[in-house]
Amino acid sequence: MVEGERSVGRRRSTRSTAAVGALILLLAVVLPLGVALYARYRDADQWLWDDWAALIISMLLGLLFFVLAHVLGRDGERRARAVADAELMTTIGALHMSSARSFAGSDRHALRIAADARAALQHYPNASADEQSALLRTIEDAFSDLAFGTFARADALPRSVWNQLAAGAEGVVAEARQVAAGLGRRAESQGGDLSRLADNVTFALSIGRQVREQHRPPLPPGRPQVLRCVWDGVPPAPETRPDGVESPEQQAARTAAAEKGAADADRQGEALLVRRERLSCLYRRELTVKKDWRVVFDAGDAIACRVVLSDLSGTDHWLAPWYVSDMPPPLHPVNVLFDDLDEAAHHDPVVDRPGLPRFPELLRHGGLPAGMRRRAIANLRDLLRQQEIATVCVLVYDVVTAGGRTQRLVLDGNHRLAAARALAEERRTGWRRRRRKDAATDVRVLAFVMSERRPVDAPASDLEGRFPDWRGFTPDVGLARGTWLPDRYLRMLAGDRHPTQ
């Protein structure tokens, strides 16, 4: 895409240079020469050789100054582009530092993100295509981090902090749309990228607004709440009156508009695709499993997307894409391809117990074996303890199995969910003076859900050269559905106890 923009830019530059050359020729040569010939025709006796010499000198000087002005102007453009690129590089680095995903979130850093983003957008029109693309991706990732961290616990923020965060996000949306409008027809692709940025920031902000709204009244135990997020990029309505309190009329109008928008979105295929694009942008960095977003994008109405806020009720049966095997002994963790892990969790001392599923069966969060991912889970639990009402974000995929049952697979956030469950258990069984009756409801899950209405697999020809062995969104979906097994595992079953990679 960037290369295409460069070629378009080169063609436009060539056309503009040709136009400038034609203008120079017309003003500095053709027009003076025409006037001179007309004057000589009217009064040839008065037109002498020194007149021709003066005319030629004036034309040469005119051409020289015109060329100098053009060269200096181009040099000024290069300097402006270099300054803009430097500003964007600096801002990108600052955004990476201030928005790096922290589980508990940081209000002090979060409040800077919008200001840095708006400042960088001022230099966007003068920057190179590479830096423009890098900036937009960085801003989108920064607001994704806000959605996962600070916005996910928006109900616990002081009103003044939340109002500043909301105002900053709305400012970024307005700035992006203003810059896009200023680019005009000369940069349609950049304008589209800026509009998508504004839509994604609006979506992230709407998550925080809905989480904050669910705090009044408190979340009912055992009753998941579907959040009415702004998927389609409609600018958020003003939230408060001058006194800082949202009026009932504003609440009713915003709720009605969101409900109508959600209903319309469910009826339109284009809106369904927009929802998947929002989730793909949100999890562009976070989702590290093997995946193929095009399988989801091409699914038509077979996959619905929503955002759900709930307590821990029902998470016992959620599947984790974690596997153990005793082929060969002893029991050890493996990945989805039946290979040994290439991370620290490879050394986890997994404790065997009766009925523990072996590969290719996925582990359930209600039955994770002792010792599995213990260090990462313990570190996240320590961070969660700092939150009065702890909220964890997960990406889940509702898989329709071959038998027609639906199982929920946690694609991202398994460590966080395991830590949340451990914290709830700790609060429930702690010392009597620390014990909390609502331990299961003050730890919550913000789930981004992709839900199959029917099995979604891509034709094998579509995946040739990319993922030839499995046809779903991830190979974990293939295992959960029971329609795919890795070659290494099949060779093991065939009797090769030490298959090659």
Side-chain angles (χ1 to χ4, degrees):
M1 179 178 176
V2 173
E3 185 61 34
E5 292 175 1
R6 286 176 176 170
S7 63
V8 171
R10 285 194 291 268
R11 287 196 297 270
R12 288 174 179 168
S13 177
T14 302
R15 286 197 296 267
S16 63
T17 302
V20 169
L23 183 63
I24 293 173
L25 187 66
L26 175 64
L27 295 179
V29 177
V30 176
L31 186 61
L33 187 59
V35 172
L37 291 174
Y38 179 74
R40 189 174 182 278
Y41 170 76
R42 292 297 301 270
D43 196 354
D45 294 337
Q46 299 297 321
W47 191 262
L48 305 176
W49 283 108
D50 56 347
D51 295 319
W52 282 109
L55 176 64
I56 292 172
I57 292 173
S58 66
M59 286 192 298
L60 290 176
L61 288 175
L63 284 171
L64 176 63
F65 287 129
F66 212 105
V67 170
L68 285 175
H70 185 65
V71 170
L72 292 176
R74 290 184 60 128
D75 192 47
E77 290 179 2
R78 285 195 294 269
R79 286 197 299 269
R81 175 162 293 185
V83 170
D85 286 352
E87 289 292 337
L88 264 59
M89 292 176 190
T90 302
T91 303
I92 288 171
L95 284 173
H96 280 314
M97 293 178 63
S98 61
S99 71
R101 181 171 175 182
S102 169
F103 192 76
S106 172
D107 300 342
R108 179 170 60 86
H109 289 159
L111 289 169
R112 280 203 54 177
I113 291 175
D116 287 338
R118 293 187 65 186
L121 285 172
Q122 296 294 318
H123 298 278
Y124 178 89
N126 296 322
S128 64
D130 288 340
E131 295 305 320
Q132 287 177 338
S133 178
L135 174 68
L136 297 190
R137 289 177 65 89
T138 302
I139 295 176
E140 287 175 345
D141 291 340
F143 277 90
S144 294
D145 291 336
L146 280 179
F148 293 134
T150 306
F151 288 173
R153 57 184 184 87
D155 55 342
L157 297 175
R159 187 172 63 194
S160 59
V161 173
W162 167 249
N163 286 342
Q164 291 181 65
L165 287 170
E170 290 172 356
V172 172
V173 171
E175 195 76 44
R177 297 196 188 283
Q178 182 177 352
V179 172
L183 293 174
R185 294 183 178 178
R186 62 187 176 90
E188 294 181 2
S189 60
Q190 289 97 326
D193 292 341
L194 285 163
S195 296
R196 282 189 294 274
L197 167 69
D199 293 343
N200 285 315
V201 173
T202 300
F203 171 63
L205 176 59
S206 72
I207 292 171
R209 279 206 166 103
Q210 287 291 297
V211 169
R212 195 167 175 85
E213 184 176 294
Q214 291 298 328
H215 192 56
R216 305 185 299 269
L219 187 68
R223 294 177 55 189
Q225 302 295 306
V226 178
L227 304 188
R228 298 181 299 274
C229 297
V230 181
W231 298 88
D232 54 357
V234 177
E239 185 183 67
T240 57
R241 301 194 309 244
D243 59 3
V245 180
E246 187 176 40
S247 68
E249 293 79 12
Q250 285 176 318
Q251 263 191 355
R254 184 156 55 84
T255 300
E259 289 176 344
K260 182 179 183 301
D264 292 342
D266 285 336
R267 289 193 296 266
Q268 298 175 5
E270 183 178 352
L272 292 174
L273 182 60
V274 166
R275 290 191 172 206
R276 295 160 201 165
E277 289 175 345
R278 295 285 172 271
L279 292 187
S280 69
C281 178
L282 194 66
Y283 277 93
R284 181 165 52 207
R285 289 184 311 173
E286 293 298 316
L287 187 55
T288 57
V289 301
K290 284 180 175 290
K291 70 271 186 185
D292 185 2
W293 281 106
R294 279 177 287 188
V295 172
V296 175
F297 292 156
D298 296 340
D301 63 348
I303 290 183
C305 299
R306 63 189 188 280
V307 183
V308 179
L309 184 67
S310 66
D311 59 18
L312 291 174
S313 302
T315 59
D316 286 1
H317 298 288
W318 292 12
L319 302 176
W322 296 343
Y323 311 88
V324 295
S325 175
D326 54 7
M327 299 171 58
L331 189 69
H332 59 283
V334 294
N335 64 18
V336 69
L337 299 177
F338 198 60
D339 292 325
D340 292 336
L341 301 182
D342 58 354
E343 53 186 289
H346 169 69
H347 303 287
D348 288 346
V350 182
V351 178
D352 198 358
R353 58 173 173 76
L356 182 66
R358 263 61 166 176
F359 186 93
E361 290 187 59
L362 291 80
L363 298 175
R364 299 181 183 275
H365 272 277
L368 294 180
M372 186 161 223
R373 315 292 173 105
R374 58 178 182 173
R375 183 170 300 176
I377 292 173
N379 291 340
L380 292 173
R381 183 181 57 190
D382 291 341
L383 288 173
L384 273 176
R385 285 196 187 104
Q386 303 171 16
Q387 302 181 33
E388 183 69 16
I389 299 179
T391 304
V392 295
C393 294
V394 297
L395 175 67
V396 299
Y397 190 102
D398 290 343
V399 184
V400 177
T401 64
R405 295 174 54 241
T406 298
Q407 292 185 298
R408 175 158 291 184
L409 173 63
V410 182
L411 294 177
D412 180 79
N414 285 280
H415 290 90
R416 296 187 292 275
L417 180 58
R421 290 175 54 86
L423 177 64
E425 182 64 16
E426 177 184 283
R427 289 178 174 179
R428 186 181 67 82
T429 61
W431 293 349
R432 184 172 297 277
R433 63 187 179 86
R434 292 184 176 180
R435 194 169 300 171
R436 301 168 65 152
K437 295 180 180 179
D438 58 350
T441 59
D442 66 1
V443 181
R444 305 180 311 181
V445 181
L446 182 63
F448 300 92
V449 184
M450 293 187 292
S451 183
E452 288 185 344
R453 295 188 173 103
R454 56 183 179 272
V456 175
D457 289 322
S461 59
D462 290 350
L463 298 171
E464 187 175 355
R466 294 186 288 129
F467 304 115
D469 297 329
W470 49 274
R471 298 185 293 174
F473 179 52
T474 71
D476 298 288
V477 169
L479 286 182
R481 206 191 310 279
T483 56
W484 172 83
L485 285 173
D487 289 340
R488 189 170 187 271
Y489 183 71
L490 292 174
R491 292 197 298 271
M492 178 75 79
L493 293 180
D496 185 357
R497 310 303 294 179
H498 300 284
T500 57
Q501 298 293 333

